[in-house]
Amino acid sequence: MDRKKLLVISIVVSLIAVWFAFDLGQYFTLEQAKAQQIALTDTIHAKPFLSSMVYFVLYIVVTALSLPGAAIMTLLGAALFGFWWSLLLVSFASTIGATLAFLFSRFILRDWVQAKFGHRLSAINRGIEKDGAFYLFTLRLIPVFPFFIVNLLMGLTPISTRMFYLVSQLGMLAGTAVYINAGTQLGQIDTLSGIISAPVLVSLALLGVFPFIAKAIMQIINKRRVYANWEKPNHFDQNMVVIGAGAGGLVSAYIAAAVKAKVTLIERHKMGGDCLNTGCVPSKAIIRAAHTMAEITRAKDFGIETGEAKVDFAKVMQRVHNVIGKIEPHDSVERYSKLGVNCVSGEATILSPWEVEVNGERITTRNIVIATGARPLVPGIPGLDKVNYLTSDSIWSLTEQPKRLLVLGGGPIGCELAQSFQRLGSDVTLIEMADQLLIREDNDAADLVKSSLEQDGVDIKTGHKAVKFESISDENGNEQQRVLLETANGESLTIEFDAVMLALGRVANVQGFGLEKLGITTSDRGTVEVNEYLQTKYPNIFAVGDVAGPFQLTHAAAHQAWYAAVNGLFGQFKKFKADYSVLPAATYTSPEVARVGINEKEAKQQGIDFDIVTYGIDDLDRAITDGEDHGFIKVITPKGKDKILGATIVGHNAGELLAEFTLAMRHGLGLNKILGTVHPYPTMSEAAKYTAGVWKQANAPQGLLTLVEKYHGWMRKDEQIAASEQQSVAESSVEIDTVETSPKRSNEGALSEK
C-alpha cells in the first residue's frame, strides 16, 4: 500500500478514535439538545452564520466518517434551525459527507476488491454501469441498507462520482424532509402534553410510513419506466400464457387452472418436455436395465448359479420407449385439457409484455411464464462435426449398441450413462477435464462413484481435455474415429471410439421467441435473468426451470412454477420469494449420490464453523443382508448444534434415504428428533437414526454424565453397605449355630431376635 493511502487511513482512523475515546457522541442527542436548547438558541440567534457553518461542517464529518448520530443530528438541526434552513444545511452536508465516504472507499479499497473479486462482481458492475443511477436512487429513497453502507459499497463500483453526488442529493431529499419535519415538532415539546399533540403524532407517523410510501412510488416509477414503450391492451383473453410444456410449464398451467384462471399452454414439440422424452424418464429406464445386468453378474455372491446373460440392446431401447409411452398420459394434452388448460401446439412468439402469437393468432394475457427449457451443450471442438456424436437428446434413437463409447463430461449425466452402457456391454471411456468426477460433490463421495465405475470396467480419465476430433480411413478403408486429449502439463493421448456421448451441460433456450425484441436480459450462465420472485425485466413476465436456472432439475422447475403462478396471479396482494434452501438432488449411479443443503466443500467455502457427522452404511444390518454394505451418510451441522445444514448420502437407494433429512430441514427438525423417531428393523432407513446417534455420542453432555456417574457410584456404594450388613448378620448366625444345639427352628428364632 502506498504512502498516500496509509496517510488517509491514518487520518480517518485517528478521527474515529478521537470520537469514541472522548465519547463525543453524547453531545449529539436530543436529550442534550433539550438541556441546552435555550443556550444553543441564543447562540444561533447571536451568530446565525457561524453556528450554521459549525453545524454544517460537523454534519459532513460525522457522515464522511460513517459515525453514529447522523439521524439525531438531522432532528437536532431541525429543532434548532427550523425546517427550511435545516433542510438546506442537511441536504447538502449529508450529500457532501456521503460523497467523501464514497471517495474514501474508492481510493482505499476499490482496486483491491476488483482485482480479487472482479470475476464475481462482473454482473454487479454491468448492472451498475447500465442502471446504477436508478439502483442508487432506489436505495436512497428506500433505505434498505443504512446510508453509510451504501456510501462505502457504491465506492467499489464503476459509478461515477458526479452521478453518485447528483443522485444522492436528489434521492435523500424526501427522506431528509420527513426527518426534519419530525425534528421541528420534537423541538417544540416542552411538556408531557406536547408528546401527544397532533403535529408530533403526524411527524412520527410520517417517519413510520415513509419507507412504504417511497417503495410504492418507486414501484410506480419503475413500472412506467419498464413499460414506457408498450401499449397495454384494454382487456385480456387469458390470465396467463405458459410457453413450454416441460415440468415448469406443466405445473404453472396446472396451478393456474386449479385456481380457476384462464390459462393457455403452448408447446412446439412434445408435452412433458425433456424430462419425459429425453431426460429423467428414459435415463432411469436404461439405468434399471443396466442394474439388472449388474445383479445377474453378481448372482453367485448370493449362492445362485446362472447361465450366460446376453443383452439385446434393441429390446432394452424398446423398453425405454415403452416406459416413456406409459408415463406419457400423465403429461398429455388430454389430461391437461380436462383440468381446464387450453393446450396449443405451435411456435410461440412474445410480441409485447401482454401479447403472444401462436399459429397466426394473437393472445392477450395479463401474465406470461417462460418455461422453454434447455438443450445439450455442443462445444466448438475442432472436428466434432466430422464424427458420430450423440447428446442426451439423440442417444435414445440408438438401436445398435456402440462397441466403444466415449463419454465427454463427468457430471451426473455423464457418470450415469457411462456406467449404464458399460454394464450393458460397451467399452466406455469417460473423459473429465477437472480432477474429479461430480465436481460439485465432496471428494469422498466422488471417489466412491469413481471406484464403482472403474470396478464396472469404465476407463476414467480425469484432468484430460478433448482438443480435437478426427475421422480417418485405416489401411482397409474403414473409417476410424478418434479424439486427441491433453492434460494440464501438456501430455497428449489419442483414443479411438465408435460414438461419442456429449455430457457437458445444457444451454438455456432463450432465442427464437421474442426475448430480444423485449430486451429481456440473460445472466452470465446464459439463462433468463430473473429476480427473487422469478420476474424478468417486466414484472408480469416470469421464467422457470432450466431457462431460468440456477438448478437444472425437474423438481426445481416444478418448485419454481408454484412461485411464478402464484406471484403472477395474486402478486398484487402478496408476492413470494423463491426458496431454494432445502432443495434435494440425486445422481443415479451405483452407488447413488444424494444431497440436500450444503456439503463439506461448500461449508468451507462459506466460512461456516461446522461439525461433520459421518455414519458408514457398511455397519448397517439391512445393507449387509442385501449385499449393499457400502457408502456413508455425512451431515453438516453448526458447531455444537443438531440443526441440519446439509446431508450427503452415498449408497444404495441414497435418493430414497435423503427424504427424511429433507423433511427434517424443511421443518426445522434436528438430529435429536430423528434419533427419537422409531424406525422399523431391519431397514435402510435406520441409517438416518444411527447417523443421529453418532452426533449424539459426539455431543453428549460430559458435565452431566460425570454427575450421573457419581450418582451411580453412590448407589453402588449403598448396596455394598447393605451387603456388608447382611454379611455381618450371616456371620452372627454361624456363631449361634455353633453354640446352640437346639433344632433349626430355634436357630431361626434366635436369628430373628438378633
Side-chain angles (χ1 to χ4, degrees):
M1 185 176 293
D2 59 39
R3 293 183 178 180
K4 290 182 179 180
K5 290 185 178 181
L6 286 173
L7 178 61
V8 172
I9 292 174
S10 300
I11 293 172
V12 171
V13 171
S14 299
L15 291 173
I16 294 174
V18 168
W19 175 277
F20 287 102
F22 292 95
D23 194 18
L24 298 180
Q26 64 177 314
Y27 300 107
F28 296 87
T29 64
L30 285 176
E31 292 81 1
Q32 182 70 17
K34 293 299 296 181
Q36 302 294 329
Q37 184 173 4
I38 296 177
L40 290 173
T41 302
D42 290 342
T43 301
I44 292 171
H45 285 165
K47 299 179 180 180
F49 181 77
L50 178 61
S51 301
S52 299
M53 289 302 99
V54 170
Y55 174 82
F56 186 78
V57 171
L58 281 174
Y59 201 108
I60 291 175
V61 171
V62 169
T63 309
L65 297 177
S66 303
L67 295 170
I72 296 298
M73 284 196 69
T74 303
L75 298 173
L76 177 60
L80 297 174
F81 294 101
F83 181 82
W84 291 109
W85 185 241
S86 61
L87 178 62
L88 181 66
L89 293 175
V90 172
S91 177
F92 282 95
S94 61
T95 305
I96 293 171
T99 305
L100 290 174
F102 166 88
L103 291 172
F104 171 78
S105 173
R106 171 161 294 184
F107 179 66
I108 300 298
L109 295 174
R110 186 175 69 165
D111 292 343
W112 177 80
V113 170
Q114 291 293 342
K116 190 171 182 64
F117 305 105
H119 61 291
R120 299 180 184 177
L121 299 174
S122 57
I124 296 175
N125 289 336
R126 286 197 301 272
I128 292 295
E129 289 172 354
K130 183 179 180 181
D131 291 311
F134 183 77
Y135 292 156
L136 178 59
F137 185 73
T138 303
L139 290 172
R140 291 306 194 196
L141 200 59
I142 310 171
V144 179
F145 301 105
F147 282 161
F148 79 90
I149 293 180
V150 175
N151 300 336
L152 298 177
L153 290 181
M154 293 302 291
L156 307 177
T157 70
I159 191 170
S160 69
T161 304
R162 180 173 178 273
M163 182 62 69
F164 177 86
Y165 179 88
L166 293 174
V167 173
S168 296
Q169 183 78 58
L170 180 62
M172 291 192 291
L173 184 60
T176 300
V178 172
Y179 264 87
I180 286 175
N181 181 64
T184 58
Q185 301 305 318
L186 292 173
Q188 297 172 12
I189 297 174
D190 296 317
T191 64
L192 290 176
S193 61
I195 297 177
I196 58 174
S197 66
V200 173
L201 292 178
V202 170
S203 296
L204 293 175
L206 280 175
L207 284 176
V209 302
F210 175 72
F212 300 100
I213 296 173
K215 184 176 181 180
I217 293 172
M218 288 306 301
Q219 288 176 342
I220 294 171
I221 293 173
N222 186 45
K223 188 175 181 179
R224 289 185 177 180
R225 176 171 168 264
V226 168
Y227 294 110
N229 298 323
W230 304 100
E231 184 177 351
K232 189 175 183 179
N234 294 323
H235 70 279
F236 300 95
D237 303 321
Q238 302 286 299
N239 297 100
M240 181 170 284
V241 168
V242 181
I243 303 174
L250 290 172
V251 175
S252 296
Y254 175 87
I255 292 172
V259 297
K260 306 304 179 183
K262 291 195 69 175
V263 55
T264 292
L265 175 64
I266 304 172
E267 173 55 52
R268 67 178 182 177
H269 189 43
K270 294 182 178 180
M271 294 284 285
D274 295 331
C275 180
L276 172 64
N277 299 290
T278 62
C280 313
V281 171
S283 66
K284 301 314 165 282
I286 201 169
I287 286 172
R288 181 64 180 89
H291 180 69
T292 299
M293 189 62 187
E295 285 288 284
I296 293 172
T297 59
R298 61 186 291 233
K300 61 182 179 181
D301 295 344
F302 299 92
I304 299 173
E305 296 294 336
T306 62
E308 183 182 358
K310 294 183 179 180
V311 174
D312 188 330
F313 187 76
K315 289 184 177 179
V316 169
M317 297 303 285
Q318 182 58 52
R319 179 184 177 275
V320 169
H321 291 287
N322 291 342
V323 169
I324 295 173
K326 194 170 183 178
I327 296 177
E328 203 168 32
H330 300 171
D331 300 338
S332 64
V333 170
E334 292 75 16
R335 179 182 180 229
Y336 276 80
S337 296
K338 288 180 181 179
L339 291 171
V341 178
N342 176 35
C343 299
V344 178
S345 177
E347 295 271 356
T349 302
I350 303 175
L351 302 177
S352 79
W354 303 281
E355 292 178 294
V356 177
E357 184 179 66
V358 58
N359 300 331
E361 178 187 359
R362 289 196 175 197
I363 304 171
T364 57
T365 177
R366 290 198 67 91
N367 298 284
I368 299 171
V369 175
I370 300 168
T372 50
R375 63 189 183 278
L377 170 64
V378 178
I381 302 175
L384 181 60
D385 57 338
K386 302 295 192 297
V387 300
N388 177 26
Y389 74 83
L390 304 165
T391 68
S392 57
D393 283 357
S394 61
I395 197 169
W396 311 112
S397 62
L398 287 177
T399 55
E400 184 176 346
Q401 185 173 8
K403 179 173 175 48
R404 298 171 300 177
L405 178 65
L406 180 73
V407 177
L408 216 58
I413 295 175
C415 289
E416 289 175 0
L417 293 181
Q419 187 175 47
S420 295
F421 273 82
Q422 181 70 39
R423 287 180 165 185
L424 291 173
S426 296
D427 292 327
V428 179
T429 301
L430 176 60
I431 309 300
E432 169 56 47
M433 189 166 57
D435 292 330
Q436 76 164 58
L437 302 180
L438 304 176
I439 191 63
R440 294 182 180 177
E441 305 300 335
D442 287 336
N443 296 341
D444 48 3
D447 288 345
L448 273 178
V449 172
K450 181 181 179 182
S451 177
S452 178
L453 265 64
E454 288 176 335
Q455 287 177 12
D456 286 329
V458 178
D459 183 11
I460 298 175
K461 299 190 182 301
T462 55
H464 286 70
K465 179 181 180 181
V467 295
K468 182 181 179 182
F469 287 92
E470 56 185 11
S471 178
I472 59 174
S473 299
D474 62 15
E475 56 186 14
N476 297 321
N478 299 318
E479 288 294 319
Q480 295 292 329
Q481 302 176 100
R482 62 188 186 186
V483 62
L484 175 64
L485 306 175
E486 285 187 0
T487 63
N489 57 14
E491 296 178 1
S492 60
L493 175 67
T494 300
I495 296 178
E496 295 185 349
F497 59 87
D498 298 315
V500 56
M501 164 71 191
L502 304 178
L504 298 170
R506 299 176 65 78
V507 181
N509 294 321
V510 296
Q511 296 178 335
F513 55 95
L515 295 189
E516 303 89 349
K517 180 181 178 182
L518 270 69
I520 292 178
T521 55
T522 57
S523 68
D524 291 339
R525 302 184 304 274
T527 55
V528 172
E529 200 162 21
V530 294
N531 63 12
E532 53 201 355
Y533 302 106
L534 298 175
Q535 296 168 305
T536 64
K537 172 183 176 181
Y538 301 92
N540 71 310
I541 300 180
F542 300 80
V544 300
D546 289 0
V547 74
F551 305 100
Q552 294 184 332
L553 301 166
T554 296
H555 50 279
H559 179 68
Q560 290 178 322
W562 183 91
Y563 291 96
V566 172
N567 288 339
L569 297 171
F570 304 105
Q572 63 270 34
F573 304 111
K574 168 70 175 177
K575 294 200 296 289
F576 297 89
K577 297 179 181 179
D579 179 11
Y580 305 115
S581 59
V582 186
L583 188 67
T587 299
Y588 298 94
T589 49
S590 179
E592 292 181 359
V593 180
R595 176 156 70 95
V596 62
I598 62 174
N599 58 16
E600 182 181 356
K601 182 183 294 185
E602 292 169 341
K604 290 178 179 177
Q605 291 172 350
Q606 296 176 24
I608 296 173
D609 191 14
F610 65 95
D611 285 329
I612 298 176
V613 183
T614 304
Y615 171 73
I617 296 177
D618 58 330
D619 187 57
L620 187 65
D621 291 359
R622 181 56 186 269
I624 295 171
T625 62
D626 288 351
E628 301 291 351
D629 46 334
H630 51 79
F632 60 83
I633 296 179
K634 180 164 60 173
V635 177
I636 307 298
T637 66
K639 204 75 172 176
K641 298 181 180 179
D642 78 331
K643 179 183 179 181
I644 304 170
L645 300 177
T648 297
I649 305 178
V650 185
H652 182 63
N653 283 341
E656 311 297 332
L657 296 178
L658 188 68
E660 186 167 2
F661 291 100
T662 304
L663 180 71
M665 288 183 64
R666 184 68 183 85
H667 296 285
L669 305 177
L671 291 173
N672 272 314
K673 296 295 185 182
I674 292 178
L675 183 61
T677 302
V678 178
H679 294 71
Y681 176 87
T683 60
M684 293 294 291
S685 68
E686 284 188 296
K689 180 182 70 174
Y690 291 137
T691 304
V694 172
W695 178 89
K696 191 70 173 180
Q697 186 176 13
N699 291 271
Q702 297 301 326
L704 178 60
L705 290 178
T706 299
L707 292 176
V708 171
E709 183 180 17
K710 290 180 179 179
Y711 166 75
H712 289 311
W714 178 73
M715 291 297 292
R716 291 196 302 274
K717 184 177 180 181
D718 284 352
E719 292 173 359
Q720 290 169 358
I721 293 172
S724 177
E725 291 176 350
Q726 292 177 2
Q727 180 65 29
S728 298
V729 171
E731 290 174 353
S732 298
S733 176
V734 172
E735 292 176 359
I736 293 172
D737 287 343
T738 304
V739 175
E740 299 288 344
T741 58
S742 58
K744 182 178 181 182
R745 183 176 297 275
S746 299
N747 293 338
E748 290 176 350
L751 182 59
S752 298
E753 292 174 0
K754 187 173 183 66

